[in-house]
Structures are given as structure tokens and as C-alpha cells.
Amino acid sequence: MDHTSRLRPAKDKIFKPQQPIRARRTKLFRAVKILGTVFLSGLSISKESNCDKNEWSWEHIKPSQTLIWRNCYDDLECGRLSVPLDWLNPSDGRRVVLAVVRRNATDRNNYLGPIFVNPGGPGGSGVEWVIEGGKALQAAAGENHDIISLANAQCESNMGEITKFTGTTSVARDMLAISESLGLEKVRYWGQSYGTVLGGTFAAMFPDRVERMVVDGNVNLDEWYNGTSIHFTDFTDGVMLAFFDFCYKAGPSKCAFYAYSPAAIQERLESLYSRLRMNPVQVLPSSVNTTTGFSIPRPEIIAYSDVKYMVIAALYQPRLFWPKEAQILSELDKGNGVPFLEYTIERGHRQTPFSCSCFPKSDDDSNCPSSYPLKAIGNGDATNLVHCAEAPRDENFHSLEAMTKYRDELQTKSPLSWSAMFENRGSCAGWKSRNIWRFEGPWHVTPAHPILFIGNTFDNITPLTSAVHNAGYFANSSVLVQNSYGHCSIGTPSRCTMQARKKYFQTGESPKNGTVCQPDAYPFGVELKISSLDNEMDSVMVGLVELAKRFS
């Protein structure tokens, strides 16, 4: 038996959900460019642009208290809904404007209404999620649905005030306001990662308004709201160990970081880390082959922490990123840091080398006003604004003593990944602002329709244990297990999962609690076998995988 057999999901093992864990809480690890919904926008910056001033722009839509749709982004509709800034005191006159985007159903037969979607984060754009992936999401749920999402697009007060009203509870109420503006009595919802916090909060606050709800890659609701941030790493090291195991099984032809055993691959990585701690890799501009289109204006240093972050980030989508990561690690092992730089800059893990030009000329539309509110939002500040403001109000919660205790506990629990995961709570140290409205329960409710929870057997950041725990709060819910690695189910194609999810949206029928779906592709393994892109299911599967890749 190899050293990860205890951790690998058995292909024929039937999952038996445990009783819900006693209330424990976690905040989701703040990752760069993971899938997310935005509650705060920045303000657009005026600068020179060659854009057509007559092009469509969000600013062209006048905010109103009823949704007025305008065509946008070629085949979508956009609106700006004005809602109270403070839902606890809605008559005080302060307003915030929600940017709402909709992809209309293409099949009007048996029209089932809209599905609100949220890709997670927090810190990305729900609007961009629909723009980039609305077609794939619609095909996956059924083309007789609209696909809708929102972003908090503009505060009609000042930025200092809005920081107190960006929490999950307020956005759940915003979502209800949108549904009421559409004349809906109940809501259909599909949320991933942090989107499961929004979905769970909405369902607990308004259980009679739930018509369908799929939550995939679940954050432990208790741990999100009390900030303990421990059980989000339940399987992080398990996924890391799986890299060594899958690399060994793939062999040197498929895994460039191969060694004679999984343990030897792990030792090879630890040895690389040790060398980088003492001697970071230096990359000179002259060592870069500029014929590939990649260049650097000055020397770059690659340190241990840089490589550690890349390795941990790849755990989100092992099937997509492990083969490339193995090549990069192999080159770093030889002292060549160019592939690392090229990859991490492209992925957004590392800043583009400094340029003296503040507004470089470009043929793209990056300076166009129609990018608002997309490119002014979805950053680390927005992530912290939501994440840290949800923390407990105890002034000693982020004290040196408390953080030292947290570090020790996390290191004991997750020795392979703790140093990268510590940021989850550490990034909020010193953050004083707290949300004015914070839902405190009750959590044990009976939704109008049972909720479908989905979890990967080995999710590096939202473990299956959290799906089981959360399901215990909502009567008659079901947990569907996808027997795969990484964050959320859509990054690993599974026809079984797709069928179950679509059937739930179309008919309301949930799979039996504890149903296990096998994946149709594995890390370092045979690529997804597509019978034909004319085959509806295979086409949808490819679309979801590409969506996960773009937003990972």
C-alpha cells in the first residue's frame, strides 16, 4: 500500500454522510483569481482612450428602483437597480446601485425562470461570470432558464460608509430585492465556493423563498462567521500528497517532476524548497528567449514563498495545472526560472514586471468605459472588505497571542500547506471595520424545496466535511459526492454529476443523499474523451471545464 492510499478516494467506495459536526467555523482562504462575486466596486478612472464614445457603457443606464433592461455585451441584458444601502434602516435615504446582468433563456418552452449564479471568492465579479460563462452555465442547468448575477456597482454615498454594508447578509437581501423586482415569489440559485455562504445565508434568512438551490464547494457556515479558519484545511495536505502519488503513477513521460516513488517526489520538492530558502533563483533579462513573446525588463528573483504559493494554488484545479506545474518545478530544480516567471505572470500569481508607462498603448479595449464595473472591482481589497468584515467583533481576535495560537494549530493540522494557508486569517489582522448587519441565525430551517449540496472527495479549500456539516442545517437536503480532487466540481468533468445537477434544476428531484459520482478524467491521466461536440452533454462538459480554467 502506498503512502497516500489512505487519502485517495476508492473508486467503488460508497460515501456515508456523518452527523453534522458541532458548530465550527471557517473563513475561506483568500486566493487570487478564484471564482467570486463582488459586493463593492471601485470608481472608474478617467484616462485617455481611443474607444468609441458611443459604445455601450454601464454609466449609460440610469439607476432606478425597478429593473430596466438594456442590451449589452452582444447577447446579454443589463440593468442597474437602486436599493437601500442600509437594509436595517431603509428609509434613511442612502442608496447603493446594483449592476445586474442577465442571459435570457433560449428555450421558452417550459420556461422555468432565472437562476442566480455566484462563482465564489469573495472578490471576483458575478457580472463577469455571466459574461464569460453564462452560456455554459445555462446549458448545464437547462436553456429554459435565464442566468442572472449581480455586482454592487456604485455607492450613492461615500466609500467610507459602504464598507460597513458589504457583508453577506446585506447581499442576500439585495438578491431578494432583485427577485422581487422581477416579480418572483421564489429564487433559484447556483453558488460555488464563497457563493455557498451567500446561498446558505439566503436560505436560512428566507427559507420559504427557496425554489432550487445548488451549492458546490461548501464553506463551513459556522467557521465563516466565527472566523476560526481551521477545518477549511481538512483535506489540503491530502490533495498535496495526491500530487506525488499521481505524478509517480503517470511516469516520467507525463510528469516531468517524476522520481522513483511518491515519497521520493515529495523529498525532491522539499529539497527544492530548502535550496530556495537559502539561494533564490535569479533570472536575468539576457537569459529569456524573447522570440516566444515573453521578456523581462530587469532581473527577477524567485524565492521559496513564490514557489510555495504556485504549488498551493495549483491544488485548486489539479487536472488542469499539475502537468504544467511539474514541468516548471523540474526546470527550477535545474536553476531555470524562466518558465516559472512566464507561467505565474500569465496566471496572475505574480505582478507584471514594472514599466515606466502608466497607461501603455494597446489594441484591446482595456481602457474602454464599458469595462465598468468589471475592471474596477474584483481585487484583493474587495476580498478583504467582505472576508475580514465578517470576523467576530472581539478586539482580541487578531491579537499576537491569538494569531500565534492559530499558527501553531494550523501547522499541526496541515504541515504541508499551513504556511500558505495562514494568510486566510492573517490577512485580516488589524482590520477594524465590521459589518453592521450580520445574520446570527436561526440556521436550522426547512427550505421550501430541498437544497442540493455538492462536494469533491478531496477539495483543498472547501472540504466535503463542510458540505455534510452545512446540509445538517437544512431539512431534507442531499449531499452529492464527486470522487475527485480540487476545488468545486466543475473543474473535473463528470457526466454523472452533470446529469444529477440538471435533473434537480429541471424536475426538482435530488439524488439520494450520499450518492457518489465518478469523474471522467484524472490528473496526469488520459484526457477527457469527448464522443462529439455535437453531443449536448459533452459540449456542456467542455464548456464548464473551460470556464473553470479561465476563472481559476
Side-chain angles (χ1 to χ4, degrees):
M1 179 179 295
D2 66 65
H3 78 299
T4 59
S5 60
R6 175 176 65 86
L7 297 168
R8 250 192 341 272
K11 198 164 186 178
D12 57 351
K13 184 176 180 181
I14 301 300
F15 174 77
K16 297 179 180 179
Q18 305 170 357
Q19 291 298 314
I21 305 167
R22 182 174 175 78
R24 302 180 300 198
R25 310 182 178 181
T26 189
K27 291 182 196 169
L28 185 62
F29 169 50
R30 181 175 68 88
V32 178
K33 283 195 174 182
I34 67 174
L35 311 170
T37 282
V38 162
F39 310 128
L40 172 72
S41 80
L43 300 179
S44 58
I45 300 173
S46 176
K47 55 190 178 184
E48 291 300 320
S49 171
N50 294 322
C51 301
D52 183 350
K53 300 301 182 182
N54 294 319
E55 283 188 13
W56 179 87
S57 169
W58 280 98
E59 293 96 321
H60 294 166
I61 303 177
K62 184 178 180 180
S64 65
Q65 296 185 38
T66 57
L67 269 174
I68 300 172
W69 298 105
R70 288 190 59 177
N71 293 333
C72 60
Y73 301 105
D74 297 329
D75 57 353
L76 303 178
E77 290 183 332
C78 294
R80 298 174 71 198
L81 183 67
S82 175
V83 299
L85 175 65
D86 183 358
W87 281 108
L88 295 179
N89 186 18
S91 62
D92 73 354
R94 293 176 298 172
R95 313 287 296 182
V96 66
V97 178
L98 307 176
V100 187
V101 63
R102 174 171 70 181
R103 180 178 182 83
N104 284 311
T106 58
D107 178 4
R108 305 304 294 189
N109 296 321
N110 188 31
Y111 174 67
L112 295 177
I115 297 175
F116 287 81
V117 295
N118 184 305
S125 172
V127 170
E128 192 170 9
W129 183 242
V130 175
I131 294 170
E132 295 291 329
K135 188 173 183 179
L137 295 168
Q138 185 179 65
E143 294 179 342
N144 51 353
H145 288 102
D146 305 322
I147 300 295
I148 286 184
S149 197
L150 70 149
N152 187 332
Q154 179 184 348
C155 179
E156 294 180 359
S157 179
N158 61 71
M159 290 299 290
E161 279 297 302
I162 199 174
T163 61
K164 301 175 183 179
F165 303 96
T166 57
T168 307
T169 307
S170 294
V171 178
R173 183 62 184 85
D174 290 343
M175 193 162 70
L176 181 64
I178 295 172
S179 70
E180 291 174 338
S181 180
L182 295 171
L184 302 173
E185 294 184 1
K186 295 182 179 179
V187 168
R188 292 175 176 239
Y189 179 83
W190 181 2
Q192 301 186 103
S193 192
Y194 166 78
T196 67
V197 178
L198 178 58
T201 302
F202 181 92
M205 292 175 67
F206 313 111
D208 59 329
R209 298 297 189 103
V210 176
E211 185 172 42
R212 301 283 191 278
M213 182 170 288
V214 173
V215 279
D216 184 348
N218 286 264
V219 180
N220 184 300
L221 290 169
D222 291 313
E223 290 201 340
W224 173 267
Y225 282 110
N226 79 8
T228 48
S229 301
I230 285 294
H231 291 283
F232 77 111
T233 64
D234 277 356
F235 296 128
T236 309
D237 280 11
V239 183
M240 186 70 251
L241 289 171
F243 169 74
F244 309 131
D245 190 39
F246 276 107
C247 179
Y248 169 71
K249 289 184 174 181
S253 64
K254 291 185 177 180
C255 180
F257 204 62
Y258 174 83
Y260 62 85
S261 71
I265 297 172
Q266 182 175 354
E267 290 169 6
R268 185 179 178 186
L269 181 60
E270 293 297 337
S271 176
L272 175 60
Y273 284 159
S274 296
R275 296 199 308 274
L276 288 169
R277 285 189 184 98
M278 299 301 296
N279 299 293
V281 171
Q282 179 174 286
V283 181
L284 300 175
S286 59
S287 66
V288 178
N289 180 5
T290 58
T291 60
T292 64
F294 176 73
S295 63
I296 54 176
R298 56 176 171 74
E300 292 282 334
I301 299 296
I302 302 171
Y304 154 76
S305 58
D306 300 321
V307 178
K308 182 80 170 188
Y309 182 85
M310 179 197 73
V311 169
I312 295 300
L315 301 183
Y316 281 83
Q317 297 293 343
R319 193 187 70 84
L320 297 174
F321 299 133
W322 278 355
K324 182 65 175 179
E325 176 192 308
Q327 294 173 3
I328 293 169
L329 291 174
S330 179
E331 290 302 311
L332 283 169
D333 213 18
K334 303 170 187 174
N336 178 14
V338 175
F340 172 87
L341 288 178
E342 189 169 5
Y343 173 78
T344 53
I345 290 172
E346 178 187 357
R347 295 282 306 133
H349 299 166
R350 188 182 182 96
Q351 288 185 338
T352 302
F354 174 77
S355 169
C356 290
S357 174
C358 296
F359 301 117
K361 294 181 180 180
S362 173
D363 292 331
D364 65 21
D365 63 352
S366 60
N367 294 335
C368 294
S370 59
S371 66
Y372 174 90
L374 298 183
K375 294 180 181 177
I377 59 181
N379 52 49
D381 291 337
T383 297
N384 273 3
L385 184 61
V386 179
H387 175 199
C388 302
E390 303 270 44
R393 288 163 169 77
D394 180 0
E395 62 181 18
N396 294 317
F397 185 70
H398 289 128
S399 67
L400 179 60
E401 181 181 3
M403 295 304 290
T404 300
K405 181 180 179 181
Y406 171 66
R407 178 204 63 191
D408 293 344
E409 187 176 1
L410 193 63
Q411 185 173 9
T412 299
K413 180 177 176 59
S414 304
L416 298 180
S417 57
W418 76 271
S419 58
M421 310 307 270
F422 179 79
E423 182 191 21
N424 175 57
R425 181 166 163 183
S427 63
C428 293
W431 191 278
K432 303 297 184 183
S433 177
R434 294 293 185 269
N435 295 319
I436 286 179
W437 192 15
R438 188 171 184 268
F439 182 68
E440 302 286 352
W443 290 98
H444 289 278
V445 297
T446 302
H449 194 86
I451 297 173
L452 175 58
F453 292 81
I454 302 178
N456 286 348
T457 319
F458 275 68
D459 189 310
N460 62 303
I461 197 73
T462 53
L464 182 57
T465 50
S466 294
V468 176
H469 172 78
N470 292 355
Y473 280 134
F474 302 98
N476 306 315
S477 297
S478 292
V479 177
L480 173 67
V481 182
Q482 182 166 295
N483 199 25
S484 59
Y485 294 86
H487 183 45
C488 299
S489 69
I490 70 169
T492 301
S494 169
R495 293 176 176 87
C496 170
T497 299
M498 287 187 54
Q499 288 173 333
R501 183 178 53 229
K502 186 170 185 177
K503 185 176 184 180
Y504 172 81
F505 275 125
Q506 291 293 315
T507 70
E509 182 179 343
S510 300
K512 183 179 178 182
N513 187 35
T515 295
V516 178
C517 282
Q518 300 300 333
D520 289 300
Y522 297 87
F524 295 111
V526 177
E527 279 303 299
L528 178 64
K529 293 182 178 179
I530 300 297
S531 58
S532 169
L533 288 181
D534 292 330
N535 178 290
E536 179 184 1
M537 182 174 294
D538 285 357
S539 178
V540 172
M541 209 156 38
V542 169
L544 290 180
V545 169
E546 286 301 312
L547 180 61
K549 186 176 181 179
R550 289 201 301 273
F551 278 78
S552 294

